[in-house]
C-alpha cells in the first residue's frame, strides 16, 4: 500500500489497463485498476490518453449530477437505546428541498438528515458509557453551489447538531466528547483531534489517492473508505459523482 502520493494517470493499451503513475513519478505495472474516485475525474483526467475514456467523459459531463454530501461525526457521553442504528429525520419539505438541491443550487434553511448510530448494535464502536454517531445531509454539488465550505461548513455543522438536539437529544451539546465534519471541497476534516483525507464532492475530485483509512478519534472509531481511495476504472453508481436522476 502506497499512501500520500496522488495518482495522476492510468495507463492503457487499447482497451486494457497496463499501469499507473503518481504525482511523485512512481510507476506501477498492473493488470487491473480499481478506482472509486469521482467518475468524471477518472475518465477525463486519469484516463486522458484513452480515446474511448475521453468519449465517455464528454458524454458524462453532459448529464445531470448527483448532489454532494455534508457529514458530521460526533461522539457522545451516554447511551441512547431509543435511537436505532439507522434513522432518517425528514425536514418540513421534500419536493421543494430536492428542487433546491438538484435544480437551484441552494443551501436551504431546512434539511433532511440520515443519522447513523453504529454503537447501537456494536457497542465496541465507542468507549464504555459512550456512543458514536454521524449525520449526513445532501447538499448541492460544486457545479451548482461553488461555496467556500471552510466558512459554510462550521455553520451547517452547528445547525445539524442543533436539529438533532431539538428532535432527539436535548442535552447533546453538553455530551459531545469529539466531533468533526466533512464538506465537499475540503480534503481534511475540521477537527483538532484527527487528521485524515476524504472528499465528498459529487463533481470531479481533484485527484485519486491510493489510500483507505480507518479514522480514529480517541477510542471512537468509524470506518471510511476515501472517495479518493483504491483505484478502479469507474462505471458503477458507487462513484460520488455518478450522473443520476433525482428521486421523485
Amino acid at each position: 500500500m502506497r499512501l500520500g502520493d496522488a495518482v495522476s494517470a492510468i495507463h492503457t493499451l487499447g482497451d486494457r489497463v497496463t499501469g499507473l503513475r503518481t504525482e511523485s513519478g512512481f510507476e506501477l505495472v498492473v493488470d487491473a485498476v480499481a478506482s472509486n474516485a469521482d467518475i468524471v475525474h477518472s475518465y477525463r483526467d486519469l484516463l486522458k490518453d484513452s480515446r474511448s475514456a475521453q468519449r465517455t467523459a464528454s458524454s458524462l459531463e453532459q448529464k445531470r449530477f448527483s448532489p454532494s454530501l455534508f457529514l458530521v461525526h460526533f461522539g457522545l457521553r451516554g447511551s441512547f437505546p431509543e435511537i436505532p442504528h439507522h434513522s432518517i429525520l425528514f425536514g418540513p419539505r421534500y419536493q421543494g428541498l430536492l428542487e433546491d438541491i438538484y435544480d437551484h443550487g441552494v443551501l436551504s434553511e431546512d434539511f433532511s438528515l440520515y443519522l447513523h448510530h453504529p454503537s447501537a448494535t456494536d457497542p465496541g464502536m465507542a468507549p464504555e458509557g459512550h456512543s458514536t454517531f454521524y449525520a449526513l445531509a445532501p447538499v448541492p454539488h460544486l457545479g451548482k453551489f461553488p461555496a467556500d465550505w471552510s466558512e459554510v461548513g462550521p455553520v451547517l455543522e452547528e445547525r445539524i447538531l442543533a436539529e438533532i438536539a431539538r428532535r432527539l437529544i436535548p442535552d447533546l451539546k453538553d455530551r459531545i466528547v469529539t466531533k468533526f465534519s466533512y464538506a465537499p471541497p475540503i480534503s481534511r476534516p475540521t477537527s483538532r483531534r484527527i487528521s485524515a483525507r476524504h472528499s465528498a464532492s459529487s463533481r470531479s475530485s481533484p485527484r485519486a489517492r491510493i489510500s483507505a483509512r480507518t479514522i480514529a478519534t480517541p477510542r471512537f472509531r468509524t470506518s471510511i473508505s476515501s472517495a479518493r481511495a483504491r483505484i478502479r476504472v469507474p462505471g458503477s453508481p458507487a462513484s460520488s459523482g455518478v450522473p443520476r436522476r433525482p428521486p421523485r
Side-chain angles (χ1 to χ4, degrees):
M1 182 175 291
R2 186 180 183 89
L3 303 175
D5 192 8
V7 173
S8 57
I10 298 173
H11 302 311
T12 60
L13 180 63
D15 61 353
R16 297 188 64 84
V17 168
T18 59
L20 58 83
R21 183 178 66 250
T22 68
E23 286 188 345
S24 71
F26 175 76
E27 299 269 354
L28 182 66
V29 176
V30 298
D31 297 316
V33 173
S35 173
N36 72 343
D38 180 89
I39 190 170
V40 176
H41 170 64
S42 294
Y43 280 111
R44 183 191 61 203
D45 304 326
L46 299 184
L47 289 161
K48 64 179 64 175
D49 294 330
S50 166
R51 284 183 293 179
S52 63
Q54 292 308 297
R55 288 194 296 269
T56 300
S58 296
S59 175
L60 289 172
E61 287 183 313
Q62 305 305 311
K63 297 184 182 296
R64 192 176 190 183
F65 284 78
S66 62
S68 293
L69 301 173
F70 184 83
L71 196 63
V72 183
H73 291 262
F74 52 101
L76 304 180
R77 282 187 293 272
S79 58
F80 305 88
E82 73 282 5
I83 301 178
H85 191 131
H86 304 285
S87 304
I88 297 179
L89 306 180
F90 287 106
R93 299 182 303 152
Y94 184 75
Q95 184 68 31
L97 179 61
L98 291 178
E99 290 172 353
D100 281 348
I101 293 171
Y102 282 94
D103 300 328
H104 305 147
V106 172
L107 188 63
S108 302
E109 288 294 322
D110 59 315
F111 41 71
S112 292
L113 300 174
Y114 164 65
L115 183 64
H116 187 223
H117 179 203
S119 53
T121 51
D122 182 1
M125 293 296 290
E128 184 176 355
H130 293 72
S131 301
T132 184
F133 294 84
Y134 74 70
L136 180 156
V139 297
H141 66 65
L142 297 179
K144 289 278 189 182
F145 184 67
D148 182 351
W149 278 97
S150 66
E151 295 184 1
V152 176
V155 175
L156 183 56
E157 176 185 291
E158 290 304 312
R159 287 176 52 208
I160 288 172
L161 293 175
E163 181 67 7
I164 295 170
R166 184 182 72 83
R167 298 175 66 169
L168 294 174
I169 310 171
D171 58 348
L172 181 147
K173 186 175 181 180
D174 295 332
R175 291 177 176 270
I176 290 177
V177 176
T178 186
K179 64 183 174 73
F180 57 94
S181 60
Y182 292 107
I186 297 175
S187 61
R188 288 185 176 88
T190 54
S191 171
R192 294 175 298 173
R193 301 191 180 192
I194 185 169
S195 177
R197 298 181 184 274
H198 184 64
S199 171
S201 170
S202 71
R203 289 293 291 179
S204 55
S205 303
R207 62 198 61 168
R209 292 187 180 272
I210 309 173
S211 65
R213 306 261 178 120
T214 295
I215 291 180
T217 60
R219 301 175 64 199
F220 286 88
R221 298 181 293 112
T222 179
S223 178
I224 292 182
S225 177
S226 169
R228 293 184 281 183
R230 296 180 292 247
I231 306 305
R232 174 185 175 190
V233 176
S236 147
S239 171
S240 65
V242 63
R244 59 189 296 182
R245 294 184 64 83
R248 296 294 184 191

